[in-house]
Amino acid sequence: MISKKLVAASILAAMGTSAHAIGFKAGEWEMDLSGSVNAYYNTTSCDNAGAAASGALGLCGGAATGQDQTSIQNGLLPGFIIFTASTKQAGYDLKAVISIDPGTTNNNGAAGGVGQNVGDQRRVFLQFGNETMGTIKAGRDIGLFGQNAILNDMSLLAVGGGSGYNGALNTTLGGIGSGYIYTEFQPQITYTAPAFGNLSLSGGVFQPKQIGGAESDSPGMQALASYSLGDSGKLWAALINQSQSGAAGAPDADLTGFEAGGTLNFGALSLTGNYFTGEGLGTTLIGFGGRDAANGERDSDGYLVQATYKVGNTKFGINYGSSTLDATAADRTANAIMLEETNQMVLGVYHNLTPSLTIAGEYITNEQTYQLGAPAAKGESNTIAVGAILFF
């Protein structure tokens, strides 16, 4: 039989992606299996190398080398296969999810093979609850903060930024670091309350991010509120907070952030926007570039705006994202080269050749500007990506 339960458990559920889980009964348990495979041909031209700066990944080759890149690799999603077991016992809905998330990455593109990650395990969690008590999840799964930004990024099914990191990463970046923070797949214990009409509320404790030499003596906290507008779209807001005791003589390593956004649908036209701001949060991964050499918090913010339009089985889209990182007093004293702003535009075409197979093409421009030690420096790249993604 064909089961839809695994699709709901997948991170692609928010995208409404057509995936066909293979389901069967084993005693009182329903067992489901589904997955996805994708590959893209990417060619990236580096017009300006930019600089190796604090808070920056660089644009090409994983560093500010200025080298043009060609790759055949995964897009923003890795390949994945997800196994789900679910049942109902004593009035409780029980579920277990395990995923394997391999990639096409090899070590040809990274110096000395450093940074290779040809396989990953993003999801391994148990879940239990019912309509009266809500749901508790324990294990590793997608985070709450930044979740809706990436799930509503049109490049989720394609490439976006980061194709120049051939061999260094298992996926590309989409709008990560160029409009939103990567939500990450994190160890967590989260609670989702029973629905209040169209309102959904979730919150939980998370494995703390290690920041500098701070002690990981308290968990991270994340919360998410989502309001469904039915076929007309969705609104959301999320919080993140983490407090850690600083090393001797250093300030506490606090990390805080807030985001809000939504998607509105007007027939074939869909509009999406997301904004984030934080202290110690960084601009790419949670906490990356968020602190100076003295462990002081840097302020950061960013936004993503997007419009897509469907004509039959083809979707046309454009999005623009920007992330900004502010220097601290210690940064200005050191006068070290530091990332200031990353801007990215994506033009995309996504055609559903069949309900399970999407053919996609994107044109991506990315620009990084810097401050302090090299304010005139600028990194620029242009990428063309063509490929396909298959769900089963």
Side-chain angles (χ1 to χ4, degrees), residues 115-155:
Q116 297 314 306
N117 184 13
V118 297
D120 192 6
Q121 189 172 4
R122 293 187 168 194
R123 281 153 286 188
V124 51
F125 64 87
L126 64 89
Q127 185 172 294
F128 65 94
N130 54 41
E131 293 182 358
T132 302
M133 67 166 281
T135 303
I136 294 174
K137 177 192 296 182
R140 185 182 184 193
D141 194 22
I142 192 169
L144 299 178
F145 184 85
Q147 177 185 133
N148 281 287
I150 194 169
L151 291 179
N152 287 278
D153 184 349
M154 67 186 191
S155 289

Side-chain angles (χ1 to χ4, degrees), residues 276 282-283 299-302 322-326 339-343:
F276 79 87
T283 63
D299 294 339
S300 61
D301 60 9
S322 179
S323 293
T324 302
L325 189 65
D326 295 339
L339 177 69
E340 180 174 34
E341 188 171 342
T342 303
N343 301 306

Side-chain angles (χ1 to χ4, degrees), residues 307-340:
T308 63
Y309 191 84
K310 291 193 69 174
V311 180
N313 292 332
T314 303
K315 180 172 70 175
F316 300 89
I318 180 172
N319 69 26
Y320 182 86
S322 179
S323 293
T324 302
L325 189 65
D326 295 339
T328 65
D331 289 325
R332 288 187 285 271
T333 298
N335 198 37
I337 301 174
M338 192 183 120
L339 177 69
E340 180 174 34

Side-chain angles (χ1 to χ4, degrees), residues 15 33 92 102 105 140-141 153 179 192 215 337 345:
M15 293 290 294
L33 188 70
Y92 295 97
T105 298
R140 185 182 184 193
D141 194 22
D153 184 349
T192 299
E215 296 181 0
I337 301 174
M345 182 189 72

